[in-house]
């Protein structure tokens, strides 16, 4: 006779809901940042959204406008959540801090930070003389500023989670050697240095810090004549294929990873770099 099996208590209690949480998203005017703001709102969070809302002279494609950020705000409200949206440049700590404080005053705190703002001025035209400095300023110093302005709030939150948006170029060097591409790859490698350092320093205070590494994503960063020309004429685009039959993933695919890392479903996940790349990095 076989022994009767005692049913085990179901230990799965987390839902992934972000109800009552507040999330800061940088670069929220369009593309992945807009998708993260809307996705986090759909999961229940109120949103503090910032974007530069104007061009940067070394970036050959256009960046978001203030109208783009207004549209993000409209979409978040359509999810039934509140949003404080402000024009701020992540390179300028004071303007970022002012925008962040406005949100915290309205919502009473901040639990999730998505350091998403970034530039990728890859072009075969002659590069702007300041391109290297600008890329490092936005993609590295900007991420550092983003964590620092929110640090105190995150520590007091009890649910603090930082998600930095890296790239498959955070761990791969196949993006080519134009000045903008070198700077981009170096900057995204540096994001992992920030992520691991903060995972160690903020972990004992209950704050988790992770990175998501997107492969090619269908946004204006790659869908513009300069980037398309760069990837076509250098042949680099053809070498970025992945095992799964997908050329560019959707912003929503990155958002799903961001929402998971921001939630209690990932409560003991910190210090990881999670590729969402169709398997490109397995190659
Ligand atoms: N699109 C891709 O293929 C891809 C792949 C890997 C990683 N990424 C990363 O994903 C993130 C989002 O990029 P995306 O694809 O949505 O591109 P995107 O160009 O559509 O969005 C970037 C957003 O950041 C904003 N921004 C730029 N500089 C800023 C600054 N100094 N201060 C505040 N906001 C600023 C822009 O206005 C824009 O709204 C970036 O960090 C990017 O490097 C993109």
């Amino acid at each position: 006779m076989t022994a009767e099996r005692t049913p085990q208590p179901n230990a799965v209690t987390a839902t992934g809901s972000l109800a009552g949480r507040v999330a800061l998203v940088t670069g929220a005017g369009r593309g992945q940042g807009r998708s993260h703001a809307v996705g986090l709102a759909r999961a229940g969070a109120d949103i503090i959204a910032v974007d530069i809302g104007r061009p940067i002279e070394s970036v050959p494609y256009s960046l978001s406008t203030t109208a783009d950020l207004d549209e993000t705000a409209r979409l978040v409200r359509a999810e039934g959540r509140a949003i404080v949206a402000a024009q701020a440049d992540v390179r300028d700590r004071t303007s970022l801090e002012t925008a962040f404080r406005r949100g915290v005053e309205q919502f009473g705190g901040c639990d999730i930070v998505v350091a998403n703002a970034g530039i990728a001025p890859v072009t075969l035209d002659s590069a702007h003389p300041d391109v290297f400095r600008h890329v490092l300023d936005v993609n590295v110093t900007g991420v550092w500023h983003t964590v620092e302005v929110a640090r105190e709030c995150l520590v007091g939150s009890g649910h603090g989670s930082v998600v930095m948006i890296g790239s498959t170029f955070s761990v791969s060097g196949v993006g080519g050697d134009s000045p903008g591409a070198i700077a981009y790859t170096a900057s995204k490698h540096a994001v992992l240095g920030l992520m691991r350092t903060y995972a160690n320093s903020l972990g004992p205070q209950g704050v988790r810090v992770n990175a998501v590494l997107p492969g090619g994503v269908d946004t204006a960063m790659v869908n513009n004549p300069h980037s398309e020309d760069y990837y076509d004429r250098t042949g680099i685009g053809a070498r970025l294929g992945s095992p799964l039959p997908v050329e560019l993933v959707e912003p929503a695919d990155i958002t799903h990873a961001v929402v998971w890392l921001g939630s209690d479903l990932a409560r003991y996940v910190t210090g990881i770099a999670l590729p969402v790349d169709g398997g490109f990095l397995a190659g």
Side-chain angles (χ1 to χ4, degrees):
M1 207 171 90
T2 52
E4 234 173 75
R5 276 157 54 104
T6 317
Q8 296 298 307
N10 183 355
V12 179
T13 54
T15 63
S17 166
L18 300 178
R21 311 270 169 100
V22 176
L24 165 68
V25 182
T26 67
R30 71 175 190 204
Q32 295 178 60
R34 174 185 284 169
S35 173
H36 302 336
V38 174
L40 290 160
R42 186 164 297 176
D46 291 322
I47 305 296
I48 305 169
V50 301
D51 204 292
I52 188 170
R54 62 175 171 79
I56 294 177
E57 58 274 25
S58 58
V59 181
Y61 59 92
S62 58
L63 300 178
S64 282
T65 62
T66 49
D68 291 325
L69 193 56
D70 289 345
E71 175 62 6
T72 298
R74 190 189 67 76
L75 292 168
V76 165
R77 290 188 186 109
E79 295 294 334
R81 303 312 320 164
I83 181 167
V84 170
Q87 194 176 347
D89 185 337
V90 294
R91 295 174 295 179
D92 171 9
R93 185 139 155 192
T94 307
S95 78
L96 185 62
E97 183 133 38
T98 303
F100 179 69
R101 288 279 145 228
R102 262 188 55 213
V104 168
E105 269 161 33
Q106 174 152 342
F107 298 132
C110 183
D111 311 280
I112 299 163
V113 166
V114 186
N116 165 82
I119 54 172
V122 293
T123 174
L124 285 175
D125 304 333
S126 57
H128 188 282
D130 294 327
V131 68
F132 199 92
R133 187 166 55 80
H134 289 177
V135 172
L136 272 287
D137 274 357
V138 175
N139 294 7
V140 185
T141 311
V143 173
W144 176 59
H145 285 164
T146 304
V147 178
E148 286 299 322
V149 301
R151 182 180 183 137
E152 203 182 310
C153 267
L154 289 167
V155 166
S157 140
H159 304 278
S161 172
V162 178
V163 183
M164 299 177 183
I165 305 302
S167 162
T168 47
F169 294 137
S170 292
V171 291
S172 147
V174 299
D177 64 356
S178 76
I182 293 174
Y184 187 75
T185 297
S187 73
K188 290 300 183 179
H189 274 64
V191 166
L192 294 194
L194 288 169
M195 182 274 286
R196 292 190 177 112
T197 303
Y198 279 121
N200 279 289
S201 66
L202 297 179
Q205 299 165 83
V207 179
R208 299 181 295 103
V209 185
N210 295 287
V212 176
L213 312 185
V217 188
D218 191 2
T219 70
M221 180 177 276
V222 292
N223 288 328
N224 68 74
H226 297 273
S227 303
E228 282 164 358
D229 180 57
Y230 177 78
Y231 286 115
D232 286 352
R233 281 170 56 205
T234 57
I236 290 167
R239 296 203 295 272
L240 297 178
S242 59
L244 288 177
V246 59
E247 199 180 330
L248 295 174
V249 305
E250 298 297 324
D253 297 302
I254 313 305
T255 297
H256 296 152
V258 167
V259 172
W260 174 66
L261 285 169
S263 80
D264 295 347
L265 292 178
R267 68 179 176 154
Y268 292 129
V269 179
T270 197
I272 70 160
L274 175 64
V276 180
D277 65 346
F280 164 72
L281 287 175

